[in-house]
Amino acid sequence: MAKQISDLKLGILGGGQLGRMLIQEAINYNLTTLVLDPDTDAPCKHLANYFECGSITDFDTVYNFGKKADIITIEIEKVNIEALEQLEKEGKQVFPQSRVIRLIQDKGVQKQFFKENNIPTAPFKLVNTREDIFNCGFAFPYILKQRKDGYDGKGVMKISDVADIDHAFDAPCLIEELIDFEKEVAVIVTRNSKGEMKTFPMVEMEFNAEANLVEFLISPSTYPASLQQRAEKIAMDIAASLNITGILAVEMFVTKNGELLVNELAPRPHNSGHHSIEGNYVSQFAQHLRAIFNLPLGDTRAINNAVMINLLGEKNHDGVAKYQGLEKIMAIDGVYIHLYGKKYTKPFRKMGHVTVVDQNRDGAIEKANYIKNTLKVIS
Amino acid sequence: MAKQISDLKLGILGGGQLGRMLIQEAINYNLTTLVLDPDTDAPCKHLANYFECGSITDFDTVYNFGKKADIITIEIEKVNIEALEQLEKEGKQVFPQSRVIRLIQDKGVQKQFFKENNIPTAPFKLVNTREDIFNCGFAFPYILKQRKDGYDGKGVMKISDVADIDHAFDAPCLIEELIDFEKEVAVIVTRNSKGEMKTFPMVEMEFNAEANLVEFLISPSTYPASLQQRAEKIAMDIAASLNITGILAVEMFVTKNGELLVNELAPRPHNSGHHSIEGNYVSQFAQHLRAIFNLPLGDTRAINNAVMINLLGEKNHDGVAKYQGLEKIMAIDGVYIHLYGKKYTKPFRKMGHVTVVDQNRDGAIEKANYIKNTLKVIS
């Protein structure tokens, strides 16, 4: 019998909450998990079969770690690509493939990929320095994004006038037309090495304006089926063009005239898929494992209406985390708590999430609002 | 703020699959888990924050282990009760309480408890030696059960004639009238320290005759609501009479004339509740944690029809486990695999389980039959 999933060692670069939830699922397949993360207290530390504290951006560290695994995946894009390329050359399976991570790591290259593949996206221009911004030719206001290393709203700013440029990033950036969108939505698509592809139903996101982080996620969307099908088609087109093996989150804007514009990609489990643990037949974590082990993909249909609330550290709280209101929200039916095992909280740090499922969509939203106002992470 | 679930250390006596699934859930609450098990390769070994290889029946080992935890629970009844009693005296929380485990450990005392509390159960008699069996006064055939240490069909035999008695257990036993039942069913009930109680919908079980192990479990039952309500009432009466904190599985016979007779109790997560992970809003593992941490109990309603198939080691296979047919069954929608992390298989060893959920009950049963015939644990 060929080697099968239960015989294999999965190496995960990054040991945060995404790795943690991936391991919770990997347990069901007897997978041996190895995790590399620079934080000695990473959320995965006690769950992985083997935990190594080290840099995920250092060639030697990633290469030597990868040698210990059979299949290597990521839970964050900012990893050492050269090490992954070398591991691939030596026959290790790296999913998503290093070339996909390389492309997505650079938001400029990502935008060019959209353009070359006729993927609808906001008009953009690439600049190398702050000086270039002055002459970009875009009308104010517009969005400025660092090409590399931005995440969770970091590395993004709005440029409203010339004065803003003085405080702008002085680094290779992407300038993007500000889209007057109606809603941000996401479609998660998964593809295995056989080329089988499946999308999760489209979800709607609501952002915390101050932190630029997803606050609420509602699944499934109530946009017309035709729009949802277009969104799913875009996600599949991207996954096919990338020839990716693994999961890919595709964030999109719905403009006020019903157009869909791709905002960003994430080639890994993503915040916009957390609801799938309870809200869909297969979770994004289970689906990613199926994809990278080249197993048949699971049923992505929604079981119930689900609303996911990110549990962010309260403002003005910095220190050992305490969870206020946990008992109150556990008294509500259909509430699922996921704490991420982070000892310390700080303002807007992602400390956990809560998913509410309810056969009634409005009921789920109402419960989610109550949870948002009741459950607090303080110090 | 008072100490809360995320600050506490949960000690688990036993590190098998039940502990493993309990830990998978405990992760969501940042619980620190400590496990004691005599097997160096126990399924919980790599998942617990602290794993100790040692005897769960030895006073000193259990006592010293328990001192390290805030709350102590079990995943198997055969533990050292005296150590738990001592820990309770010293202020540790032990759930289920030691007196409940003591009562249930002894099937004779369990039966007497049923009698004293008017819980319907098959007529029985207690004997001390093989000699006593000859004079028990029961008509052949009847059932002989060792009062202590039986599990998974071990310690149980059918006595069909005098010749059988020669091979009978020569130990304190329980003789029970053989019930000509129509079906075995189970109701899981949970009670927290506030006295809040909830039952899971009744399930139907089908046994493997050769191994006397649950092979199939179907949730929810299709018996008339009135019978199901009677079963739930019996389970709640038992939990209330025991004043238990935690989860309690109540196995019952449905006789051919629609009577319900309690067979056995298990004061811990139980095989008859595995389907609840995907089939019900709250799982038995989440519910047990809610109960022992005195949190509000979750919604036990079934989400979907669910059929659970125990994955037993194939006959004539003894050695390092291999899973045959995994990929085939993963191609079916609504299939959830749970492997227990056991390196070695042997005939009828519980190596994992699979749950199928389907909006159509017959569809779920059909898929389960296919899975039973397709997925094999060999060596």
Side-chain angles (χ1 to χ4, degrees):
Chain A
M1 198 185 294
K3 271 212 172 190
Q4 55 181 197
I5 182 164
S6 59
D7 300 321
L8 296 169
K9 288 186 187 134
L10 175 65
I12 308 169
L13 298 179
Q17 63 264 20
L18 300 171
R20 185 172 165 102
M21 291 185 270
L22 193 65
I23 291 176
Q24 275 180 291
E25 184 59 34
I27 294 168
N28 293 326
Y29 295 95
N30 291 354
L31 258 171
T32 299
T33 52
L34 295 75
V35 167
L36 178 66
D37 193 281
D39 181 358
T40 49
D41 279 330
C44 288
K45 184 177 185 178
H46 291 288
L47 297 181
N49 293 71
Y50 167 80
F51 177 78
E52 184 177 328
C53 185
S55 167
I56 55 175
T57 54
D58 176 67
F59 180 92
D60 288 341
T61 311
V62 171
Y63 174 74
N64 291 322
F65 171 82
K67 294 284 276 182
K68 299 185 181 89
D70 297 302
I71 294 198
I72 298 141
T73 192
I74 58 166
E75 61 120 52
I76 180 168
E77 293 91 290
K78 197 186 169 183
V79 294
N80 188 290
I81 297 291
E82 293 71 24
L84 294 179
E85 285 170 346
Q86 186 57 34
L87 289 162
E88 281 171 338
K89 271 184 208 146
E90 294 177 18
K92 295 286 180 189
Q93 295 191 284
V94 180
F95 299 130
Q97 302 92 325
S98 64
R99 63 173 174 74
V100 173
I101 308 171
R102 183 185 282 284
L103 186 153
I104 290 175
Q105 266 187 352
D106 184 328
K107 287 179 184 160
V109 178
Q110 208 183 118
K111 286 290 268 190
Q112 282 168 325
F113 165 82
F114 295 153
K115 203 172 162 184
E116 285 157 19
N117 289 275
N118 297 313
I119 307 296
T121 190
F124 69 99
K125 189 167 182 175
L126 305 182
V127 293
N128 285 316
T129 63
R130 190 187 289 149
E131 267 322 292
D132 295 347
I133 306 175
F134 288 101
N135 312 310
C136 71
F138 273 61
F140 296 116
Y142 52 80
I143 297 294
L144 184 73
K145 287 181 183 173
Q146 285 188 305
R147 286 179 59 167
K148 288 201 170 184
D149 304 345
Y151 69 97
D152 278 357
K154 293 183 185 71
V156 176
M157 61 189 294
K158 186 175 164 182
I159 305 289
S160 299
D161 50 37
V162 178
D164 280 350
I165 303 180
D166 290 333
H167 311 101
F169 311 120
D170 191 13
C173 278
L174 160 74
I175 293 172
E176 223 177 29
E177 203 173 274
L178 183 69
I179 300 298
D180 185 22
F181 59 86
E182 188 176 79
K183 189 82 81 178
E184 290 198 56
V185 298
V187 171
I188 289 180
V189 58
T190 321
R191 185 177 174 282
N192 67 18
S193 302
K194 291 184 198 85
E196 186 190 1
M197 268 199 282
K198 274 191 184 169
T199 53
F200 281 87
M202 187 175 102
V203 299
E204 298 173 13
M205 292 180 285
E206 282 176 29
F207 279 72
N208 176 307
E210 192 173 352
N212 196 23
L213 280 172
V214 175
E215 197 152 66
F216 267 0
L217 180 147
I218 305 172
S219 163
S221 168
T222 49
Y223 270 109
S226 60
L227 184 141
Q228 296 195 43
Q229 283 156 10
R230 274 194 287 138
E232 287 166 19
K233 170 85 167 57
I234 290 169
M236 299 235 267
D237 285 349
I238 297 172
S241 300
L242 286 173
N243 217 2
I244 190 175
T245 293
I247 199 164
L248 179 76
V250 181
E251 293 187 272
M252 292 176 242
F253 299 118
V254 181
T255 67
K256 289 191 171 149
N257 56 13
E259 209 184 347
L260 284 161
L261 296 175
V262 174
N263 180 23
E264 270 179 37
L265 306 179
R268 53 169 169 80
H270 187 256
N271 204 163
S272 62
H274 288 356
H275 66 287
S276 62
I277 299 173
E278 295 90 6
N280 298 69
Y281 281 96
V282 72
S283 79
Q284 67 166 340
F285 301 100
Q287 195 77 315
H288 182 56
L289 291 179
R290 284 170 178 253
I292 65 178
F293 286 94
N294 206 15
L295 291 162
L297 300 180
D299 181 359
T300 55
R301 280 177 306 148
I303 299 173
N304 253 322
N305 291 291
V307 181
M308 191 281 306
I309 307 108
N310 270 334
L311 188 52
L312 307 176
E314 284 293 300
K315 282 196 284 188
N316 307 317
H317 285 269
D318 225 305
V320 174
K322 296 276 165 202
Y323 302 87
Q324 199 175 52
L326 213 50
E327 189 167 342
K328 277 187 191 157
I329 74 157
M330 288 179 74
I332 308 168
D333 280 349
V335 166
Y336 299 87
I337 290 162
H338 296 264
L339 303 182
Y340 296 157
K342 297 179 183 176
K343 192 169 176 186
Y344 300 100
T345 184
K346 57 186 179 188
F348 300 117
R349 188 173 192 200
K350 286 181 178 169
M351 300 300 290
H353 77 262
V354 178
T355 299
V356 185
V357 302
D358 201 303
Q359 285 169 299
N360 179 291
R361 180 182 163 97
D362 292 335
I365 294 171
E366 199 178 305
K367 286 176 182 177
N369 273 306
Y370 173 80
I371 292 164
K372 180 180 169 314
N373 294 326
T374 306
L375 184 59
K376 305 281 179 194
V377 190
I378 58 174
S379 59
Chain B
M1 197 183 294
K3 270 213 171 188
Q4 54 181 198
I5 184 165
S6 58
D7 301 320
L8 296 169
K9 288 184 188 136
L10 175 65
I12 307 168
L13 298 180
Q17 62 265 21
L18 300 171
R20 184 173 166 102
M21 291 185 270
L22 193 65
I23 292 176
Q24 275 179 291
E25 183 59 35
I27 293 167
N28 293 325
Y29 295 95
N30 289 355
L31 259 172
T32 299
T33 51
L34 294 75
V35 167
L36 178 66
D37 193 281
D39 181 358
T40 50
D41 279 330
C44 288
K45 183 176 185 180
H46 291 288
L47 297 181
N49 294 71
Y50 167 80
F51 176 78
E52 184 178 328
C53 185
S55 167
I56 55 175
T57 55
D58 176 66
F59 181 93
D60 288 341
T61 310
V62 172
Y63 175 74
N64 291 322
F65 171 81
K67 295 284 276 184
K68 299 184 182 90
D70 297 301
I71 294 195
I72 298 140
T73 193
I74 58 166
E75 62 119 53
I76 180 168
E77 293 91 292
K78 197 186 168 184
V79 294
N80 188 289
I81 299 291
E82 292 72 24
L84 294 180
E85 285 169 346
Q86 185 58 35
L87 289 162
E88 281 170 338
K89 272 185 208 145
E90 295 177 17
K92 293 287 181 189
Q93 296 192 284
V94 179
F95 297 131
Q97 302 93 324
S98 62
R99 62 171 175 76
V100 173
I101 307 171
R102 183 184 283 285
L103 186 152
I104 290 175
Q105 266 187 352
D106 184 328
K107 286 177 184 159
V109 177
Q110 209 183 118
K111 287 290 267 190
Q112 282 167 325
F113 165 82
F114 295 152
K115 203 171 162 184
E116 286 157 18
N117 289 274
N118 298 314
I119 307 295
T121 191
F124 70 99
K125 189 167 183 175
L126 304 183
V127 293
N128 285 315
T129 63
R130 190 185 291 150
E131 266 322 291
D132 295 347
I133 305 175
F134 287 101
N135 312 311
C136 71
F138 273 59
F140 295 116
Y142 52 79
I143 297 294
L144 184 73
K145 288 182 182 172
Q146 285 187 305
R147 286 180 60 168
K148 288 200 170 185
D149 305 344
Y151 70 96
D152 279 356
K154 293 184 184 69
V156 176
M157 61 188 294
K158 186 174 164 182
I159 305 289
S160 299
D161 51 38
V162 179
D164 280 349
I165 304 182
D166 291 332
H167 310 101
F169 310 121
D170 191 13
C173 276
L174 161 74
I175 294 172
E176 224 176 28
E177 203 172 272
L178 183 69
I179 302 299
D180 185 22
F181 59 85
E182 188 176 81
K183 189 81 82 177
E184 292 199 56
V185 298
V187 171
I188 289 180
V189 58
T190 320
R191 186 178 174 281
N192 67 18
S193 302
K194 293 184 197 84
E196 186 191 0
M197 267 198 282
K198 275 192 185 169
T199 53
F200 281 86
M202 188 175 102
V203 299
E204 298 173 14
M205 291 179 286
E206 282 175 30
F207 280 71
N208 177 306
E210 191 173 350
N212 196 24
L213 280 172
V214 175
E215 196 151 66
F216 268 179
L217 179 147
I218 305 172
S219 163
S221 168
T222 48
Y223 271 109
S226 60
L227 185 141
Q228 295 196 43
Q229 283 156 11
R230 274 192 288 136
E232 286 167 18
K233 170 86 167 54
I234 289 170
M236 299 237 265
D237 285 348
I238 296 173
S241 300
L242 286 173
N243 217 4
I244 191 175
T245 293
I247 198 164
L248 179 76
V250 181
E251 292 187 272
M252 294 176 241
F253 298 119
V254 181
T255 66
K256 289 190 171 150
N257 56 12
E259 211 184 347
L260 285 160
L261 297 174
V262 175
N263 181 22
E264 271 180 33
L265 306 180
R268 52 167 172 80
H270 187 256
N271 204 163
S272 62
H274 289 355
H275 66 288
S276 62
I277 299 173
E278 295 91 5
N280 299 68
Y281 282 97
V282 71
S283 79
Q284 66 165 341
F285 301 100
Q287 195 77 315
H288 183 56
L289 290 179
R290 284 171 178 253
I292 65 177
F293 287 93
N294 205 17
L295 292 163
L297 299 180
D299 181 0
T300 54
R301 280 178 305 149
I303 299 173
N304 253 322
N305 292 292
V307 181
M308 192 280 306
I309 307 107
N310 271 334
L311 188 53
L312 307 176
E314 284 293 300
K315 283 196 284 187
N316 307 317
H317 285 270
D318 224 306
V320 174
K322 295 276 164 199
Y323 303 87
Q324 197 174 53
L326 213 50
E327 189 167 343
K328 277 186 191 158
I329 72 156
M330 287 178 75
I332 308 167
D333 280 347
V335 166
Y336 299 88
I337 290 162
H338 296 263
L339 304 183
Y340 296 157
K342 297 179 184 177
K343 192 169 176 185
Y344 299 101
T345 185
K346 56 186 180 188
F348 300 117
R349 188 174 192 200
K350 286 181 177 169
M351 299 301 289
H353 77 261
V354 179
T355 298
V356 185
V357 303
D358 201 303
Q359 286 168 300
N360 179 291
R361 181 183 162 97
D362 291 336
I365 294 171
E366 199 178 305
K367 286 176 182 177
N369 274 307
Y370 174 79
I371 291 164
K372 180 180 168 313
N373 294 325
T374 306
L375 184 59
K376 305 280 179 194
V377 190
I378 58 174
S379 58

